[in-house]
Amino acid sequence: MKIFNQIKDSFTSSEFEVESTMKVTDLTKQFKNKFGLSLRVYKGKKLADDGRMTLKTLDQRTTQTSVNFDSSKMKIKATQKVLEVENMFLENFGIVVQIADVENKKLLADDITLGDAKRMKL
């Protein structure tokens, strides 16, 4: 069944595109709509809650190193593991994110794919 789900995720799940110009609130809503999971975006050690802040401006306020925004887009697929997606946000945008269940109560294990997490009853 697991292999079938992975194949299904590969073919039926379109990519979710993240851009540096996205507002944090729009990103978290769209991520939940796409994957059925919660995305926690951090500003330093606290959750970012400013509705007007974009990923690029969030990075400018929190990162200690310069991030190359030449590739200002990133694509996420349901076949990717939680840790892989979290690392992509750090590498591409210089921000820390964590992925949690749909109710945003429990962080997901690093080694589970987004597609499998969506199907789980957590």
Side-chain angles (χ1 to χ4, degrees):
M1 187 68 159
K2 185 173 178 137
I3 293 175
F4 173 74
N5 286 335
Q6 290 172 341
I7 293 170
K8 182 181 172 188
D9 286 344
S10 294
F11 288 104
T12 61
S13 177
S14 60
E15 295 176 331
F16 176 72
E17 195 168 276
V18 180
E19 299 181 25
S20 63
T21 56
M22 290 179 84
K23 291 181 182 177
V24 172
T25 53
D26 293 339
L27 170 64
T28 56
K29 286 177 189 174
Q30 290 176 28
F31 188 87
K32 184 170 268 187
N33 289 339
K34 175 67 178 172
F35 298 110
L37 302 168
S38 299
L39 183 69
R40 298 178 184 178
V41 180
Y42 290 87
K43 178 180 176 184
K45 293 187 179 194
K46 295 183 178 185
L47 286 173
D49 59 1
D50 186 346
R52 299 166 299 176
M53 190 172 287
T54 65
L55 297 181
K56 190 169 186 174
T57 58
L58 178 65
D59 163 66
Q60 291 168 348
R61 294 183 182 189
T62 60
T63 191
Q64 295 178 6
T65 59
S66 177
V67 175
N68 181 2
F69 280 101
D70 288 343
S71 60
S72 61
K73 293 183 181 179
M74 176 179 85
K75 295 182 181 185
I76 301 172
K77 299 177 187 176
T79 55
Q80 291 177 291
K81 293 186 178 187
V82 168
L83 183 61
E84 182 181 357
V85 174
E86 292 173 350
N87 285 339
M88 287 172 60
F89 273 96
L90 187 59
E91 291 169 11
N92 287 286
F93 301 120
I95 59 173
V96 174
V97 301
Q98 290 185 312
I99 301 172
D101 62 3
V102 69
E103 295 175 354
N104 203 9
K105 292 183 178 180
K106 180 181 176 188
L107 293 177
L108 299 178
D110 289 341
D111 61 346
I112 189 170
T113 67
L114 298 181
D116 285 342
K118 182 178 181 178
R119 284 184 286 277
M120 290 176 64
K121 300 289 182 196
L122 299 171

